[in-house]
Amino acid sequence: DAMVIQNPRYQVTQFGKPVTLSCSQTLNHNVMYWYQQKSSQAPKLLFHYYDKDFNNEADTPDNFQSRRPNTSFCFLDIRSPGLGDAAMYLCATSRGPGTSGYEQYFGPGTRLTVT
Amino acid sequence: GESVGLHLPTLSVQEGDNSIINCAYSNSASDYFIWYKQESGKGPQFIIDIRSNMDKRQGQRVTVLLNKTVKHLSLQIAATQPGDSAVYFCADTEAAGNKLTFGGGTRVLVKP
């Protein structure tokens, strides 16, 4: 089945130790998104790629970076995780703008714990 | 949608009853609206969507109503079941937009 896959599902990292979360998709969608979601809150968009074009949200801290080496994969790098970065990180994809391109398909998320 | 802060409103409903979840959005240029269901520890799942040229759309046990005059969206779930217990988010975007604006979410608790 076509899907959005996130690895790992649970990640524990130490304060200040760089960590990378990964996302892959078999949907061949043009757009890939990274969201941060804290408890009892809506997902907060960090950035997205439209093909190779990177689009950062204005309030995303520099501590968060992303890479998209090809259509299928996208990575979230947290350079120096702080305790406040503990959250669920969601990857999503969409076809892109168009008559049927708005729906975003979400992965299961990676729960990040910072110790 | 509008993010309304850290406390999720909760709708408690008896199994078998109908549920109505409401959402306000702020962007009058929004063209597409979507409802997601998020179960604990999982990613959001698509439920139903609606375009701005419609005011009602029905799916299996779910109906979405759109009132553009007052910028209001609702999700009706018929014959609510225990498996419907989750957090529900509305989201909207403009035509040709890449990004969804999420509402704050409503937690639905189904009582047996």
Side-chain angles (χ1 to χ4, degrees), chain B residues 22-87:
Chain B
N22 296 303
C23 178
Y25 64 94
S26 57
N27 186 355
S28 55
S30 286
D31 178 62
Y32 174 80
F33 305 85
I34 188 168
W35 281 99
Y36 284 97
K37 172 187 179 184
Q38 187 174 25
E39 296 175 271
S40 181
K42 297 182 179 180
Q45 290 178 279
F46 170 88
I47 302 173
I48 192 168
D49 59 0
I50 189 168
R51 299 296 298 265
S52 61
N53 60 353
M54 303 172 68
D55 53 21
K56 180 179 180 179
R57 191 166 186 222
Q58 288 184 292
Q60 188 177 13
R61 284 201 306 118
V62 294
T63 301
V64 56
L65 299 177
L66 175 63
N67 184 331
K68 295 182 289 295
T69 303
V70 295
K71 297 202 278 287
H72 183 268
L73 193 66
S74 69
L75 177 70
Q76 301 177 359
I77 305 174
T80 312
Q81 302 170 357
D84 296 327
S85 291
V87 177

Side-chain angles (χ1 to χ4, degrees), chain A residues 11-79:
Chain A
Q11 176 73 58
V12 180
T13 191
Q14 292 178 329
F15 182 94
K17 185 175 180 181
V19 65
T20 295
L21 310 182
S22 74
C23 177
S24 63
Q25 55 134 341
T26 59
L27 298 162
N28 202 33
H29 282 173
N30 296 319
V31 192
M32 294 188 77
Y33 306 82
W34 279 105
Y35 289 88
Q36 180 192 67
Q37 187 178 30
K38 297 191 175 180
S39 182
S40 298
Q41 296 184 28
K44 179 181 182 297
L45 182 64
L46 296 173
F47 25 59
H48 73 277
Y49 274 95
Y50 192 147
D51 294 329
K52 295 183 179 180
D53 292 333
F54 178 70
N55 298 270
N56 200 28
E57 292 301 297
D59 58 353
T60 298
D62 292 341
N63 198 26
F64 292 87
Q65 303 285 317
S66 186
R67 297 168 283 135
R68 190 180 185 185
N70 53 51
T71 301
S72 301
F73 286 86
C74 196
F75 300 97
L76 169 62
D77 300 309
I78 309 177
R79 294 193 296 189

